Amino acid sequence: TDGLYSRNWAYYAPGCKYRSVRASNLDRHKRTHSDERLYACTEIDCEYRAAQSGQLELHKCMHSGERPYACDEPGCEYSATTAGSLTTHKRTHS
C-alpha cells in the first residue's frame, strides 16, 4: 500500500478481528460480545435494554410509531425506522 490509509490500531479485542484507534470505540465494541446492556427503555412495562444508544433510539420508534425515512417514489406511502430498511424497500420499485 502507499500508506494513505495506514492507522495506528492501538486498541484491539483479543480473539476478535476488531481494531480501533480509540479506546471508547473498543469499549463499545466489547459490549457486542457480552450481555452488558447499559441503555434501558423508559417506557412503562418495557424491559428492553440495548448495548448501544443507537439501538435504543431505533427501539423507541416502535413505541412512538415514528418512521422518519419516507419513500420518495410518487404514489408510495412507505416509511421506515431506518435508512437501511428504506434502501431495501426502494429496490421493489426498480
Side-chain angles (χ1 to χ4, degrees):
T1 66
D2 59 10
L4 289 175
Y5 299 102
S6 65
R7 292 195 182 233
N8 179 16
W9 303 110
Y11 303 96
Y12 60 94
C16 176
K17 294 179 181 180
Y18 183 83
R19 303 286 184 265
S20 178
V21 295
R22 292 189 178 94
S24 60
N25 290 349
L26 179 61
D27 290 340
R28 183 175 61 233
H29 172 77
K30 284 180 179 178
R31 288 195 296 269
T32 67
H33 295 292
S34 74
D35 290 331
E36 186 178 13
R37 304 287 185 248
L38 300 178
Y39 304 95
C41 183
T42 56
E43 287 288 321
I44 296 172
D45 294 330
C46 183
E47 297 178 9
Y48 181 84
R49 296 185 66 84
Q52 297 179 4
S53 61
Q55 294 169 327
L56 179 58
E57 291 307 310
L58 286 174
H59 169 78
K60 286 180 178 181
C61 288
M62 182 187 75
H63 294 295
S64 69
E66 181 182 6
R67 300 174 72 83
Y69 300 93
C71 184
D72 56 4
E73 184 75 21
C76 183
E77 297 180 14
Y78 179 86
S79 62
T81 56
T82 67
S85 294
L86 177 59
T87 298
T88 299
H89 163 77
K90 285 185 171 186
R91 292 184 192 128
T92 66
H93 294 298
S94 30

